[in-house]
Amino acid sequence: MRGGHSNSAIFLILVLLSAVVPVQAGTGEYSIGVIEGTPAVSYMHDYSHLDEVTFLNDEMAIRGLINGEIDFLIADHLVLADITGNFDYNEMSVLGGVGESWKAVPVVRSDSTEDYGNIELLQAVNAAIAEIYQSEEYELLYSTWFTGMSNIEESDYIASLNDGWPTASSGGRLEKILNHDKEFLACTYDQSNGLSSIDTEGKIIGFEIDLAESISKKIAEHYGSEFGFRIIENFEKNDVVNELLNEENCDFGLAGFISGEAITNGLHPGIPYYSGGMVIAASMQSPNVESISSIFEAPEFIEDVDGFDSRLILIALLAFFIVLRLRTNPI
């Protein structure tokens, strides 16, 4: 009988120990698509509990999302929100941003003794953009090229709105434009996305093109001056920088510059007009989720596997007394 009681004691101890083994409260149940060679691949390294599916290019990834091969897709906003693409964007929607975002700004060159009034012109461009934000015009321009709502916030433009319009200095670039001494020139380049691209007729089109034209109209309207305006198309972004640094070729640039990039190239940045970065998209076949954060939640445990469970002390004491009892009072 003593052996039977010993076996019973061991069995009881094992049952008690099993009560404190951590139990998973959930699992990473979603499949997330990423495009090879993009920042989304690195972003997913922190979420190994999710099923990562890699696609070779944008088209394959978007098709995979729409066809239900994956639950969600992470890619650049310029890929997933560009309604000029070859897909029916009514079949998918951008849920929101993931990771860090970036904001595109207008740029001008620095003032010099021979070439001044550029910062003044930038202030006028900023004021024009701020007024465009305040009206319904911005969302109309934005929705022509992108799905969803822009992430530009009031804090991005309120200072320029409060500062108002600059007074044109005598002999400065802004005054020369207003006095018809020169044509108002904006520089951009073909980015092959909703910001700018070349249409079937070889004409450059896009959000930046429409915005540049609206900026020109706002400036003309405010100062009561009708002047010539033209967009200079370039082959690469570096060409835009060179055009801007040549005072005769360009007055301001709308070419997807971020502030730090502009400063590095010796240019002055204005206020944001577009917010980009990685976003996550869903299709009509994607599961319903409460929030973006809920997609990435790791499996939770009822007990902390790294912590010490005080119940182990009680179990150890109980086991000790059971064994001691069996030894001192064998049956």
Side-chain angles (χ1 to χ4, degrees), residues 119-141:
I119 305 303
E120 208 170 69
L121 176 61
L122 181 61
Q123 292 171 346
V125 170
N126 286 343
I129 293 175
E131 287 196 2
I132 291 170
Y133 282 138
Q134 282 292 92
S135 67
E136 296 180 355
E137 185 179 1
Y138 180 82
E139 290 302 332
L140 289 174
L141 293 175

Side-chain angles (χ1 to χ4, degrees), residues 124-138 141 165 178 184 211-225 227:
V125 170
N126 286 343
I129 293 175
E131 287 196 2
I132 291 170
Y133 282 138
Q134 282 292 92
S135 67
E136 296 180 355
E137 185 179 1
Y138 180 82
L141 293 175
W165 294 81
L178 298 177
F184 189 25
L211 181 62
E213 292 174 349
S214 292
I215 289 170
S216 175
K217 291 176 182 177
K218 280 287 183 183
I219 293 175
E221 178 184 313
H222 175 79
Y223 291 101
S225 173
F227 47 79

Side-chain angles (χ1 to χ4, degrees), residues 12 15 45 162 243 257:
L12 177 60
V15 170
H45 287 169
N162 293 334
E243 291 279 13
F257 285 97

Side-chain angles (χ1 to χ4, degrees), residues 55 58-69 86-87:
F55 294 89
D58 301 347
E59 288 195 8
M60 292 177 65
I62 294 174
R63 197 178 304 279
L65 176 65
I66 293 176
N67 292 341
E69 298 172 24
N86 299 321
F87 295 91

Side-chain angles (χ1 to χ4, degrees), residues 6 9 23 44 55 63 70 74 117 139 152 156 177 180 210 213 227 231 247-248 250 270 273 285 297 299 304:
S6 297
V23 179
M44 285 298 295
F55 294 89
R63 197 178 304 279
I70 51 176
I74 298 178
E139 290 302 332
I152 295 295
D156 290 321
I177 293 170
H180 312 102
D210 290 351
E213 292 174 349
F227 47 79
I231 293 175
E247 62 183 73
E248 298 302 322
C250 194
Y273 61 82
Q285 301 185 58
E297 286 179 354
D304 182 3

Side-chain angles (χ1 to χ4, degrees), residues 20-21 26-27 53 65 91 126 145 151 153 184 208 235 249 276 282 291 296 300 305 329 331:
V20 296
V21 173
T27 58
V53 181
L65 176 65
E91 296 185 24
N126 286 343
W145 303 100
N151 287 329
E153 301 173 350
F184 189 25
E208 289 179 334
F235 185 68
N249 291 354
S291 63
F296 296 96
E300 296 180 358
V305 294
N329 297 290
I331 298 177

